[in-house]
Amino acid sequence: MLLTPQRLLKISSNSHLANLWYLIATVTLTVCNQPQEIPAIYHYAMRTKHLHELPSVDLYQKVLSTVDRFHNIRDTGKDPHYTPYPDEAFQTTEKFRESILKTCALSGLPKAINSLMILKDTTPYNLRRHDNEATNRAPIKSFEEYQAVQKRGREFWDGVYTKVSHRIINQMASSYPDLWQYAIRDVYSDLLSYCGVLSHEETSVIVISCLIPQDVNPQLKGHLKGALNSGVDVEILRESRRLAMEISEWCGVKWRREVASI
């Protein structure tokens, strides 16, 4: 495993990222195509957040035992309703799911599918979604609803790019008109700007964490500035960048140029 006891202890003990470290780690591992590490992140976070256990080497061993137990449930079907966590942990689990979903627009659907499937297999029955039709994003039933979603997406876009918004739109549209239409209609409007699970600030951190392993400084610079515009604390941004870089390095990522910073 990439995530040794010492590494998990280190990343989970960052006081600036108490409610973000596990989401940053999850999306960075997704982008780096290391989804097999997500169960350890998930159960470590659930135990510290909802069972109030302290990060430690002993906790790491408990986490591995929990991961093994859910693998056994998956493989044998025995004791399918076993859960160590209370029902109120559902919202934390939703944040894991939503964070991975938002990586679709940034690193591709296949990686997001793999991470979500692995997360599902290690999620207790009481914290899963059991109605396949019950999506967070309600189906659009009228043109007015469609317009409202598109307006939300454009506001999110403008909040990120502010003064240079129109210039970037023109650049994208001139390279291929369908690129801009896809970006605003499907990526920003329907996916990124939805804040029913993650706040705009959390989404900003997720986006930055996804961009860091990919060596795409133009986009990273824009979203770092956009996160500041969204009200994300500069120290949180710096620590998020540092954590995503550290995890990326564990995954073997090497950058061709210095990673953009604030």
Side-chain angles (χ1 to χ4, degrees):
M1 293 180 67
L2 290 172
L3 298 176
T4 64
Q6 292 75 22
R7 285 175 171 178
L8 262 174
L9 178 60
K10 182 179 181 181
I11 67 176
S12 63
S13 301
N14 189 313
S15 59
H16 292 287
L17 303 176
N19 293 311
L20 285 169
W21 71 267
Y22 45 88
L23 301 181
I24 294 168
T26 295
V27 300
T28 304
L29 289 165
T30 295
V31 173
C32 292
N33 200 28
Q34 299 288 345
Q36 75 283 352
E37 304 291 328
I38 289 175
I41 293 286
Y42 176 72
H43 289 291
Y44 209 95
M46 296 296 275
R47 284 187 168 274
T48 55
K49 186 175 178 64
H50 295 287
L51 301 184
H52 310 294
E53 299 184 44
L54 296 177
S56 66
V57 173
D58 288 341
L59 179 58
Y60 179 84
Q61 296 304 322
K62 287 184 182 179
V63 164
L64 291 189
S65 295
T66 304
V67 171
D68 287 344
R69 181 158 186 177
F70 279 100
H71 284 169
N72 185 63
I73 292 171
R74 176 199 63 195
D75 295 340
T76 67
K78 294 180 180 178
D79 199 13
H81 289 75
Y82 165 75
T83 179
Y85 311 123
D87 290 347
E88 54 263 31
F90 179 82
Q91 189 59 38
T92 302
T93 305
E94 280 285 84
K95 286 179 180 288
F96 271 89
R97 289 189 277 254
E98 182 71 11
S99 296
I100 295 171
L101 179 67
K102 288 189 174 185
T103 70
C104 287
L106 300 152
S107 62
L109 184 61
K111 290 179 179 179
I113 291 173
N114 291 341
S115 288
L116 282 167
M117 294 296 288
I118 285 175
L119 177 62
K120 180 201 72 174
D121 285 344
T122 202
T123 301
Y125 183 87
N126 65 318
L127 303 181
R128 294 187 187 183
R129 283 183 167 269
H130 300 290
D131 184 350
N132 293 336
E133 302 299 322
T135 61
N136 284 314
R137 293 161 176 80
I140 294 175
K141 298 180 180 179
S142 68
F143 183 63
E144 288 74 18
E145 290 179 354
Y146 171 81
Q147 286 182 310
V149 171
Q150 295 301 301
K151 180 175 182 289
R152 184 187 74 198
R154 182 56 188 268
E155 289 172 349
F156 188 92
W157 170 277
D158 288 338
V160 170
Y161 293 107
T162 58
K163 295 179 181 179
V164 298
S165 172
H166 289 288
R167 176 164 63 83
I168 295 174
I169 291 170
N170 289 335
Q171 289 173 342
M172 293 176 70
S174 66
S175 65
Y176 187 37
D178 293 53
L179 173 62
W180 161 244
Q181 288 301 317
Y182 169 72
I184 191 62
R185 183 179 60 235
D186 300 310
V187 175
Y188 278 82
S189 296
D190 194 51
L191 185 62
L192 294 183
S193 69
Y194 174 75
C195 59
V197 178
L198 298 173
S199 68
H200 281 190
E201 291 81 5
E202 289 170 326
T203 294
S204 294
V205 171
I206 294 305
V207 170
I208 288 163
S209 303
C210 288
L211 294 173
I212 283 172
Q214 300 186 74
D215 213 357
V216 286
N217 267 343
Q219 290 73 29
L220 178 57
K221 288 177 182 178
H223 280 278
L224 283 168
K225 291 180 181 177
L228 285 175
N229 294 333
S230 298
V232 182
D233 181 79
V234 65
E235 196 59 36
I236 288 178
L237 283 178
R238 287 171 178 158
E239 288 298 309
S240 299
R241 173 185 176 276
R242 184 199 60 75
L243 178 57
M245 287 185 65
E246 188 167 32
I247 294 172
S248 298
E249 289 171 345
W250 295 343
C251 295
V253 171
K254 297 184 183 299
W255 293 271
R256 292 170 295 173
R257 57 186 69 82
E258 184 178 352
V259 178
S261 61
I262 298 186

